[in-house]
Amino acid sequence: MSTEAAAEVWRDKKRYLWLMGLIAPTLLFTMLPMIWVMNRLGWHVAAQLPFWIGPILVYILLPALDLRFGADGQNPPDELMAQLESDRYYRYCTYAYIPCQYASVVMGAYLFTATDLSWLGVEGSLSWFAKIGLALSVGTLGGVGINTAHELGHKKDRLERWLAKITLAQVCYGHFYIEHNRGHHVRVATPEDPASGRFGETFWEFLPRSVFGGLRSAWQLEAARLRRLDKNPADPRTWLSNDVVNAWLMSVVLWGVLIAVFGPALIPFVIIQAGYGFSLLESVNYIEHYGLLRQTRANGRYERCTPEHSWNSDHLVTNLFLYHLQRHSDHHANPTRRYQTLRSMDEAPNLPSGYASLIGLTYLPPLWRALMDHRVLAHYDGDITRVNIEPRRRAKILARYGAPLDEGAAA
C-alpha cells in the first residue's frame, strides 16, 4: 500500500489526546480554584485533600480509567512510520511539559513556604498534612517528568537532549540521562543491570540497588567517555563537559535559587518531592523487566535484546500520560523511535494492567509476587532456570520449583 493510500485508511486517533500528558504538570493550578471554593464554603479540612492530587492520580484515578477504557489496540502501519516520525506536532507535546512543570514547581515552593494564604481562604500557612500532599503532588509531576526526559533523552537532536537534563533537574536525577541510555539499554534483563528487577527480589530491596547502582554506573560510564577523549574526569576543568556533573549542577542551580527566594523552610519540600519523584521511576523500572533474563550464548555473551525481554502493556489512558512508555518492548528494540510510532508487539509478555495500576502493588511484595511470579514462569514455560533470579534467594527458589541447584548457587 502506498503512503497516500495508508494515510487515507489510518489516522492517529490519539493525536490530540496526547495533550493529556500535560494534565500532570498542570494539576496544581487546576486544583487551586477547587481549594478556594471549598474554603469559601467553610470546608477547611476537606480543602486540604486536593493538595494530594498527585498520589490520588497515580493510585486511584489512572488505574480506574485504565480499567474503564482498557487496551489501546491501534498500531501505526509501516507505510506511515517515517511520516509520523517527522511530524513535529508530537515533539511539541513533550516540549510543552517543561514550562508547565517548572511553573508548578515554583507555585508549589511558594505554597509550601507562604505564611499568608488568605487569598486561597487559608488562615496563615498550610498545615503539614497539606504540605506533605503538596510536596508529593509536585513529586508526581517530577516523576512523570522523568518519563518526558526519557523520551527526549533518547533522541539525536542536541536541543532535546538538553531539555531532558532540564526536566530531570527537578528530582535531582540528571545522571539518569547517562545511565539509562548507555547502561540500562546495554545490560537490560541481565543480572548486571541495576534497573532490571529480579525474581524473588522485593521492590524495597530493588530500590536502593537501582538508585545507587545507577549512580555508580552513570559516573563510571561518563568517566570512561572522558578518558577516551584524553580528559581526566577528576580534573575540575573537565567538569562542565561531564554530562553527569553538568546535569547535577542544573539541580543545584534550580534549588539553590528557589531556596534563596523562599528560604530554608523549602528544604523539606525539596527532599520529599525529589525522593517521591524518582521512586516512581524506580517502581516502573522494577515492573518493566521483572524476572526476565537474556540467555547466555555459547560464546559467553548475552543474546540480543528482543521484545520478549520487556513486559508490555497497552492500556490506553496510562499510555497517553506516559507517551507510550508501556510499549516497552518496541522501545528496547528501537530506542530512538519516537513515542507516537511505538507499537504493541504480540510476541512480548504482557502485564495484567497498566503501570499506574501496578505501582502500588510493587510496595506490597506478597501481592506483587502473587500477581507476577506465575506469569514469569509461564513466559519461560515453567523453566525457572531461565529466569533472572535474586542471587541471595537462588538456592531456595530453585529448590521450591524443583530445579537442580547449579554450581554457582551452591558456591
Side-chain angles (χ1 to χ4, degrees), residues 41-256:
L41 293 174
W43 302 346
H44 299 296
V45 174
Q48 298 181 66
L49 290 176
F51 287 107
W52 288 76
I53 187 60
I56 291 170
L57 175 72
V58 171
Y59 303 120
I60 299 174
L61 296 180
L62 283 180
L65 290 170
D66 268 342
L67 182 65
R68 167 64 180 82
F69 292 99
D72 181 343
Q74 187 190 42
N75 278 340
D78 291 340
E79 295 87 352
L80 291 183
M81 295 291 273
Q83 181 179 318
L84 273 174
E85 282 276 337
S86 62
D87 189 338
R88 299 187 71 85
Y89 163 79
Y90 292 96
R91 67 187 72 180
Y92 294 150
C93 289
T94 57
Y95 295 173
Y97 191 99
I98 302 168
C100 296
Q101 171 191 8
Y102 276 90
S104 291
V105 167
V106 174
M107 175 57 77
Y110 161 70
L111 292 171
F112 193 89
T113 56
T115 56
D116 181 9
L117 290 171
S118 54
W119 62 273
L120 196 56
V122 177
E123 294 184 9
S125 59
L126 295 179
S127 69
W128 270 103
F129 177 78
K131 285 184 176 183
I132 292 171
L134 171 64
L136 293 176
S137 293
V138 173
T140 300
L141 71 92
V144 177
I146 297 178
N147 177 63
T148 305
H150 168 263
E151 169 66 23
L152 295 168
H154 270 293
K155 303 306 174 282
K156 297 177 181 179
D157 185 90
R158 186 175 178 82
L159 170 64
E160 289 182 287
R161 293 188 173 211
W162 276 101
L163 289 176
K165 291 190 215 177
I166 291 169
T167 308
L168 292 167
Q170 177 197 334
V171 289
C172 308
Y173 230 57
H175 61 279
F176 172 81
Y177 167 80
I178 299 298
E179 157 55 20
H180 180 82
N181 292 359
R182 286 158 39 197
H184 174 63
H185 271 263
V186 173
R187 299 181 297 240
V188 62
T190 70
E192 290 77 26
D193 181 31
S196 292
R198 299 164 176 167
F199 189 93
E201 176 184 41
T202 71
F203 169 70
W204 304 110
E205 294 167 328
F206 169 83
L207 181 61
R209 181 172 72 84
S210 185
V211 170
F212 294 110
L215 276 167
R216 182 171 56 253
S217 173
W219 185 260
Q220 291 171 346
L221 288 166
E222 189 60 6
R225 183 186 73 86
L226 291 171
R227 290 190 190 101
R228 288 194 298 270
L229 298 173
D230 294 324
K231 295 181 179 180
N232 180 1
D235 187 342
R237 291 173 296 181
T238 69
W239 287 357
L240 287 180
S241 58
N242 183 316
D243 281 332
V244 174
V245 174
N246 60 46
W248 287 344
L249 283 175
M250 290 183 184
S251 298
V252 172
V253 171
L254 168 66
W255 292 113

Side-chain angles (χ1 to χ4, degrees), residues 291 293 295 376-389 398 401-404:
L293 179 66
Q295 304 304 310
V376 175
L377 283 171
H379 178 59
Y380 289 111
D381 299 320
D383 187 352
I384 190 64
T385 64
R386 297 169 61 195
V387 173
N388 187 7
I389 301 174
L398 289 175
Y401 291 100

